[in-house]
Amino acid sequence: MSTEATTVRPSEGPSAGSTLPRTSPSAQGVDARGIAAFVDALENTPGVEPHSLQVLRHGAVVAEGWWAPYAPERPHLLYSLSKSFTSTALGFAVAEGLVDLDATVLSYFPEFDAEVTDDRARRILVRHVANMASGHREETLERALQHPSGDIVRGFLQIRPDEEPGTLFCYNQPCTFSVSAIVQRQAGQGLLEFLRPRLLEPLGIDPAGVGWLLDGQDRELGFSGFHAQTEAIAKLGQLYLQRGVWNGERLLPEAWVAEATRSHIDNSSFNTNPDWGQGYGFQFWMARHGYRGDGAYGQFCVVLPEQDAVVAVTSQSPDMQAVLDALWEHLLPALDAAELPGADVEDQLVQRLSNLALPTAGGTPMTGEFTPATGNQQSTLTGVVVTDGEVVLHDAGSELRAAIGEGEWAVTGPLAVTSTPGGIDVVFVETPHRLHLGLHGSEFTATWETVPLHASALSILRKPVRD
């Protein structure tokens, strides 16, 4: 199997179903050398593992690439970048009169009225949860989930805010879940169903290519769990950059875009990283340059109005600030370049972006049946069977079977596997995550490169499909 990433080259025109034109960087005044330097930084900075990149200038894709085994047609788990899609759903709901930003959260759940007795909790407005200003000083998700009903909103409204709502920023998942739950209740349908005719179809995003994890009550999580292709991220950013207009048609009110992407509350004390203390809008972060949606392990939709540019990144990067630092250092200056290189430099960039791949270590794995050693990070994985060229994972009652590549990535459904000197690596290509399997005698060890934040069973680590 080839280790080349599947990419769409700028010279080959739009990918299937796309409404984004492709051009060379110089055609849009972008220095290809800066793009190459940004790719260098992504590949060589500790704590950063890139999976995909799209750079848009003046509405056209000037550079894009996917690091094999990731590919353009693959959805990627976006973690908290999901919040910006939820915010967009709220924008549609407000525009259609389904939701009032100045109504209380409780007013949309009258069945909880008698049990929500705290005065501050009763005063939490929709706009407060939209900008992470419920008044709580700490994340409340675990406490909200402890409510016997399992209803996150119900549990959240029974946790007394530490301060008056609207006065304190706290990154708090039940805030976004409340937004999601309100929109779903008022629309009478799930978020994806609601977004399909309003966002997905107008932007040319295939509804079959996206999925959203559900809570225990059949509602999309809202705060996380959205799976989408890189181009969907770029298109969302471009819609906001164009102030809600797409192909000459207004989808979102311009006033909503302005409100969602300005700072509503001071978050300067939230995080020591400079790009997490510039202010917060409606599920968008303000940044040193422009604004963005982002998610755990380096999922980014960066919108740069001054440069008329959008940058979409998916990755497995615990050091998310390093990704932004590299963007500001290398890519940002390239968007306003005084001099542009010759065609040979752009040809080299196209060739490089067409051959991106995560490195492989080689080696031939041991064959046999392996039982878990002590201390495995994936406790549900009860057995590993390796034969010549194939691995079978026995996990939580499921059997996951995949080919093994030696010195390359072998992709089987949502799994990509390569051999290592001491075992095999399994990449779950619809998520950021990689599982290292060490094979020793008759035992295996299972260690995550980055630990999944949602799934307990390995079979869940892929785009969900709603029945």
Side-chain angles (χ1 to χ4, degrees):
M1 177 175 294
S2 171
T3 58
E4 285 194 0
T6 304
T7 67
V8 179
R9 302 186 183 196
S11 60
E12 294 176 341
S15 59
S18 173
T19 56
L20 294 176
R22 266 70 175 173
T23 72
S24 66
S26 61
Q28 305 301 330
V30 181
D31 189 338
R33 293 167 296 190
I35 298 172
F38 182 47
V39 173
D40 284 340
L42 293 178
E43 291 187 329
N44 297 309
T45 300
V48 175
E49 180 189 281
H51 295 163
S52 72
L53 169 67
Q54 280 193 318
V55 181
L56 279 61
R57 183 86 191 283
H58 304 324
V61 178
V62 299
E64 59 186 339
W66 285 259
W67 280 258
Y70 292 89
E73 69 274 9
R74 287 281 184 182
H76 197 281
L77 172 58
L78 304 187
Y79 280 119
S80 283
L81 178 49
S82 308
K83 292 179 170 70
S84 298
F85 286 87
T86 299
S87 172
T88 304
L90 177 61
F92 288 120
V94 169
E96 295 171 26
L98 298 174
V99 179
D100 181 354
L101 288 173
D102 292 311
T104 65
V105 173
L106 182 59
S107 68
Y108 291 101
F109 302 94
E111 68 272 27
F112 304 154
D113 186 82
E115 58 193 70
V116 179
T117 58
D118 181 76
D119 55 342
R120 286 180 183 164
R122 296 181 67 88
R123 288 197 294 271
I124 299 173
L125 305 180
V126 175
R127 69 170 60 251
H128 295 150
V129 290
N131 61 30
M132 296 289 187
S134 62
H136 299 92
R137 288 193 175 277
E138 296 178 347
E139 169 69 63
T140 63
L141 180 59
E142 291 303 318
R143 284 186 287 166
L145 285 169
Q146 291 173 6
H147 193 278
S149 68
D151 189 308
I152 295 175
V153 177
R154 191 174 182 181
F156 170 62
L157 289 174
Q158 295 187 43
I159 300 172
R160 176 174 172 78
D162 303 284
E163 304 290 344
E164 185 64 25
T167 64
L168 175 71
F169 174 85
C170 177
Y171 197 65
N172 192 4
Q173 312 303 334
C175 285
T176 318
F177 185 83
S178 296
V179 171
S180 170
I182 289 169
V183 172
Q184 290 179 74
R185 171 167 285 202
Q186 293 302 103
Q189 57 187 169
L191 277 186
L192 285 181
E193 292 176 273
F194 183 69
L195 286 174
R196 181 169 183 163
R198 296 166 174 84
L199 181 74
L200 304 183
E201 292 177 349
L203 267 58
I205 299 171
D206 182 2
V210 300
W212 214 316
L213 291 174
L214 306 178
D215 74 341
Q217 301 187 8
D218 204 34
R219 296 175 295 188
E220 281 101 338
L221 285 181
F223 62 83
S224 188
F226 187 48
H227 296 64
Q229 297 163 350
T230 309
E231 189 161 287
I233 302 171
K235 287 177 174 178
L236 180 75
Q238 189 65 32
L239 175 66
Y240 275 83
L241 182 64
Q242 294 170 178
R243 299 180 294 280
V245 173
W246 191 265
N247 285 342
E249 178 185 356
R250 176 158 298 286
L251 303 182
L252 277 171
E254 186 171 6
W256 171 262
V257 174
E259 282 296 287
T261 61
R262 72 170 181 87
S263 178
H264 288 262
I265 191 156
D266 179 14
N267 68 346
S268 57
S269 62
F270 168 71
N271 194 303
T272 57
N273 288 327
D275 283 298
W276 275 263
Q278 303 294 322
Y280 197 77
F282 289 158
Q283 310 293 300
F284 285 92
W285 296 90
M286 306 304 104
R288 286 178 288 172
H289 306 277
Y291 58 88
R292 72 185 188 280
D294 69 34
Y297 304 126
Q299 325 314 319
F300 288 103
C301 177
V302 180
V303 182
L304 300 168
E306 290 187 12
Q307 291 75 26
D308 195 26
V310 173
V311 182
V313 173
T314 64
S315 69
Q316 180 178 229
S317 302
D319 191 349
M320 293 173 62
Q321 183 63 61
V323 177
L324 293 176
D325 288 344
L327 196 160
W328 307 147
E329 180 179 357
H330 301 293
L331 186 55
L332 187 66
L335 298 173
D336 290 311
E339 297 182 4
L340 299 174
D344 58 329
V345 174
E346 294 196 333
D347 290 343
Q348 291 170 13
L349 177 63
V350 169
Q351 184 64 29
R352 181 177 182 186
L353 293 175
S354 299
N355 290 279
L356 298 172
L358 299 182
T360 57
T364 301
M366 297 173 58
T367 59
E369 298 184 10
F370 302 88
T371 58
T374 58
N376 284 314
Q377 286 188 312
Q378 183 63 27
S379 60
T380 60
L381 185 58
T382 57
V384 173
V385 179
V386 179
T387 57
D388 186 19
E390 185 180 67
V391 61
V392 180
L393 308 177
H394 295 276
D395 181 85
S398 296
E399 184 180 278
L400 285 72
R401 187 180 299 267
I404 303 172
E406 293 191 22
E408 60 184 8
W409 292 101
V411 180
T412 306
L415 305 179
V417 182
T418 189
S419 59
T420 67
I424 59 176
D425 274 6
V426 182
V427 168
F428 297 81
V429 292
E430 295 178 1
T431 80
H433 301 295
R434 182 191 302 213
L435 183 64
H436 302 291
L437 291 175
L439 306 176
H440 318 279
S442 62
E443 294 184 327
F444 71 86
T445 56
T447 307
W448 287 105
E449 182 72 22
T450 53
V451 178
L453 302 183
H454 296 309
S456 54
L458 298 180
S459 60
I460 301 174
L461 286 170
R462 64 176 306 175
K463 177 182 73 71
V465 178
R466 190 159 189 171
D467 296 333

